[in-house]
Amino acid sequence: MSDSYDDTYTESQVIMTAVKIIAPFTLTYGLFMTFHGGDAPGGGFQGGTIVGVTVLMIAFAFGIEPTRRWLRNSLLVGLVTGGVVIFGVIGLAMIVLGGDFLEFYQLKEVFHIKPKWGLEAVEIGGIALIVSGVIITLFFAMAAGFTPERPSGTGGHSGRQRPTDREVDDDD
Amino acid sequence: MNLFALTLVVFILATAVATALFRDILSVIVVFGAYSLGMAILYTFLLAPDVAMTEAAIGAGVTTLLLLLTIARTARPSADQLSERIHMPAVVVVGAFVVLLCTTVLPEMYAVGITETPVWQHPEVTQHYIQQTYNDTGVENAVTAVLAAYRGFDTFGEAVVVFAAGISTLLVLKREVFA
């Protein structure tokens, strides 16, 4: 049940300690880059990547399976689909306010706030969420995709029932 | 271009050749990560910090991790020799192609930063974004402004492409959960 990942993970005190020290800084830097993308190099894409890589680093140091249990599936689904929805809703909201798709001037016209905030909302709520979520998803999909869904099964064959969230959690 | 940048170019070329030549896949991945890091530093020399950060995060970071994960999940043949056998006819053909490119294309390229390039034939276009970005959008980073404001609809398409790529990977791997 749990031996499918034991072959690749070795507990290393050095890596675990290093990641424990580095992870807060990379997370902060990723968030800074995301939130400060308008006035400094970087932005939602780069910042979201670094935030996602922080989770990948933790998974490498503390084992992929414990990290997968810690990160719930609904959280990642929320990140990825939520990002697309937020991006689209911001764009459509500008149409509702009387402009064109993603025309941030309408924020100034209607609410008298800077158009900048629309741009930042797209960077933070749209791009950063999608990118960080997809990178974490890719990592866990790769980590699990090459091992059979259940130890006795054949890799690609979908067996007696559909692999639900809970079953995957149990098996790989 | 100063001495450090030239050293960097030599380093990038060396790691690129080493990536092609090493036989052990683990060595290839490590050298490829070094190549991406060299490219990221080179982009900062070319005054493109946004591209440099993307290259460092995606090229050197995520790609290396995903490739490492892939070889951890597949059989890794033990290498009995350090490098691949060099196939001479292929070297001759590729070498001739590279020499051809260097002699025909490189002399035609403009030096970095000169103002005689076709882009500057209509300076009002490039200058518009450099001068008007802050007035138009209120952000200081023109790259972010172009990305999220001037061509926001394109970026929306790109974001959806990233989303679709994630979904497609799950489909190919026959998984129905994200984590």
Side-chain angles (χ1 to χ4, degrees), chain B residues 9 14 27 39-40 64 69 71 88 93 119-120 127 132 157 163 172:
Chain B
V9 170
S27 316
M39 283 303 287
T64 309
L69 199 60
I71 59 158
M88 279 318 287
V93 170
V119 174
W120 289 95
Q127 287 303 306
Q132 292 298 317
F163 170 75
V172 168

Side-chain angles (χ1 to χ4, degrees), chain B residues 83-142:
Chain B
S83 68
E84 291 280 355
R85 276 188 294 112
I86 297 172
H87 190 242
M88 279 318 287
V91 171
V92 171
V93 170
V94 172
F97 183 65
V98 168
V99 169
L100 188 74
L101 277 184
C102 288
T103 49
T104 57
V105 176
L106 282 186
E108 297 295 317
M109 286 176 75
Y110 297 100
V112 175
I114 66 167
T115 52
E116 279 80 46
T117 56
V119 174
W120 289 95
Q121 297 303 309
H122 299 282
E124 65 272 12
V125 178
T126 44
Q127 287 303 306
H128 173 82
Y129 292 106
I130 295 170
Q131 290 168 354
Q132 292 298 317
T133 290
Y134 191 75
N135 295 333
D136 283 351
T137 61
V139 297
E140 291 167 18
N141 185 356

Side-chain angles (χ1 to χ4, degrees), chain A residues 50-119:
Chain A
I50 295 177
V51 170
V53 166
T54 308
V55 177
L56 268 59
M57 236 165 53
I58 292 170
F60 250 60
F62 298 98
I64 290 164
E65 200 51 31
T67 316
R68 191 210 302 277
R69 292 213 186 87
W70 170 68
L71 268 180
R72 290 185 310 281
N73 181 52
S74 53
L75 178 73
L76 283 183
V77 174
L79 273 182
V80 178
T81 53
V84 177
V85 169
I86 289 172
F87 205 144
V89 163
I90 291 171
L92 292 174
M94 298 305 138
I95 297 181
V96 172
L97 294 177
D100 288 333
F101 189 73
L102 284 173
E103 190 185 355
F104 300 130
Y105 280 117
Q106 296 308 313
L107 291 174
K108 200 175 183 178
E109 302 277 328
V110 179
F111 297 118
H112 303 292
I113 57 173
K114 288 179 189 166
K116 176 186 178 178
W117 298 116
L119 190 148

Side-chain angles (χ1 to χ4, degrees), chain A residues 26-27 29-31 33 45-55 135, chain B residues 53 57:
Chain A
T26 54
L27 186 64
Y29 186 52
L31 290 175
M33 209 182 260
F45 192 77
Q46 293 92 333
T49 309
I50 295 177
V51 170
V53 166
T54 308
V55 177
I135 280 176
Chain B
M53 282 169 178

Side-chain angles (χ1 to χ4, degrees), chain B:
Chain B
M1 198 179 270
N2 59 19
L3 188 67
F4 186 77
L6 284 176
T7 318
L8 203 58
V9 170
V10 172
F11 172 78
I12 290 169
L13 286 175
T15 47
V17 171
T19 305
L21 284 184
F22 270 138
R23 188 157 176 79
D24 183 32
I25 303 172
L26 183 62
S27 316
V28 169
I29 292 170
V30 171
V31 177
F32 188 58
Y35 163 83
S36 290
L37 206 59
M39 283 303 287
I41 301 171
L42 189 68
Y43 285 137
T44 62
F45 270 93
L46 298 174
L47 301 181
D50 293 87
V51 186
M53 282 169 178
T54 313
E55 177 71 34
I58 301 278
V62 177
T63 311
T64 309
L65 273 180
L66 289 182
L67 288 174
L68 280 177
L69 199 60
T70 309
I71 59 158
R73 288 291 172 190
T74 52
R76 179 176 151 223
S78 59
D80 46 352
Q81 57 204 27
L82 185 66
S83 68
E84 291 280 355
R85 276 188 294 112
I86 297 172
H87 190 242
M88 279 318 287
V91 171
V92 171
V93 170
V94 172
F97 183 65
V98 168
V99 169
L100 188 74
L101 277 184
C102 288
T103 49
T104 57
V105 176
L106 282 186
E108 297 295 317
M109 286 176 75
Y110 297 100
V112 175
I114 66 167
T115 52
E116 279 80 46
T117 56
V119 174
W120 289 95
Q121 297 303 309
H122 299 282
E124 65 272 12
V125 178
T126 44
Q127 287 303 306
H128 173 82
Y129 292 106
I130 295 170
Q131 290 168 354
Q132 292 298 317
T133 290
Y134 191 75
N135 295 333
D136 283 351
T137 61
V139 297
E140 291 167 18
N141 185 356
V143 177
T144 304
V146 170
L147 192 84
Y150 287 115
R151 37 150 280 181
F153 186 65
D154 294 29
T155 306
F156 180 59
E158 284 177 6
V160 174
V161 164
V162 173
F163 170 75
I167 301 288
S168 311
T169 311
L170 293 182
L171 281 175
V172 168
L173 295 175
K174 292 192 174 166
R175 289 170 57 78
E176 293 186 5
V177 290
F178 278 66

